[in-house]
Amino acid sequence: MDEPRGIAGQAMNVDAFTGDGSTAAYTMSVNPVSENNTFVYLDGVYQEKATYSVSGTTLTFSTAPPSGAS
């Protein structure tokens, strides 16, 4: 008989930033270990992983988010 399995992990961290039209790199509060562990939204719209990269705690957009975008 198979043993019950669960999901292990820590609580999700949420960082919020506001675009200024020129900044493309933002510092996250934790290192997500992998880009696959990120979910990025601009003004509530999910961003495909091809539109940004992650290195350590730095999230870098291929194009800076527009001024006022959250």
Side-chain angles (χ1 to χ4, degrees):
M1 186 162 136
D2 287 334
E3 292 292 319
R5 298 182 192 265
I7 298 173
Q10 296 181 2
M12 183 184 323
N13 287 354
V14 176
D15 289 313
F17 306 102
T18 301
D20 63 8
S22 62
T23 302
Y26 296 86
T27 302
M28 299 179 288
S29 60
V30 296
N31 181 347
V33 180
S34 167
E35 192 173 283
N36 291 331
N37 295 345
T38 62
F39 298 93
V40 175
Y41 295 84
L42 282 176
D43 289 335
V45 177
Y46 176 76
Q47 302 300 296
E48 295 290 330
K49 297 203 184 324
T51 64
Y52 65 91
S53 62
V54 174
S55 178
T57 59
T58 303
L59 170 84
T60 305
F61 289 96
S62 53
T63 303
S67 183
S70 60

